[in-house]
C-alpha cells in the first residue's frame, strides 16, 4: 500500500509505479523507473510511429504499448492504469 514497514524514511512518491506492477504481474521481479532522454523525447512527439528495430524488441512485434497519461504516477489508481498499459 506504499507505506514504509520499517524505519522512518518515506518511500518515493512514485512508489505506486512499482507496487501496482508487482501486484498485477507476480512474475515480475524488478521494475526499472528512469527518464532516458530519447524515450522522454518520444513521449512529447504526438502521433509519432514507433517501430521496434533491434532483435531484443521482438517482444513488441505486435505493437509498443503507449501509456496515454504522461502525468506523475503518485496514486494506486494511476499505478494500476500504468500496469494495465504495460500488460
Amino acid at each position: 500500500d506504499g507505506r514504509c514497514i520499517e524505519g522512518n524514511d518515506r518511500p518515493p512518491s512514485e512508489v505506486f509505479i512499482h507496487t501496482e506492477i508487482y501486484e498485477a504481474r507476480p512474475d515480475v521481479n524488478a521494475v526499472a523507473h528512469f527518464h532516458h532522454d530519447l524515450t522522454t523525447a518520444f513521449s512529447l512527439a504526438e502521433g509519432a510511429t514507433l517501430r521496434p528495430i533491434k532483435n531484443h524488441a521482438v517482444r513488441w512485434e505486435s505493437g509498443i504499448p503507449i501509456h496515454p497519461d504522461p502525468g506523475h504516477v503518485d496514486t494506486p489508481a494511476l499505478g494500476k492504469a500504468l500496469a494495465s498499459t504495460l500488460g
Side-chain angles (χ1 to χ4, degrees):
D1 64 2
R3 290 182 288 143
C4 247
I5 57 172
E6 187 175 303
N8 297 321
D9 294 331
R10 288 184 2 205
S13 60
E14 301 94 346
V15 67
F16 300 109
I17 292 173
H18 305 266
T19 59
E20 297 303 327
I21 291 172
Y22 291 138
E23 179 71 25
R25 295 283 306 273
D27 59 316
V28 169
N29 294 309
V31 175
H33 167 207
F34 58 96
H35 301 267
H36 185 270
D37 290 343
L38 187 55
T39 55
T40 301
F42 273 112
S43 73
L44 300 171
E46 190 171 328
T49 301
L50 302 178
R51 292 186 179 98
I53 58 170
K54 294 181 86 176
N55 61 337
H56 291 102
V58 71
R59 69 189 86 178
W60 298 297
E61 68 182 322
S62 62
I64 299 171
I66 306 294
H67 188 59
D69 181 359
H72 191 73
V73 179
D74 59 357
T75 68
L78 293 172
K80 282 183 195 307
L82 177 61
S84 177
T85 296
L86 294 172

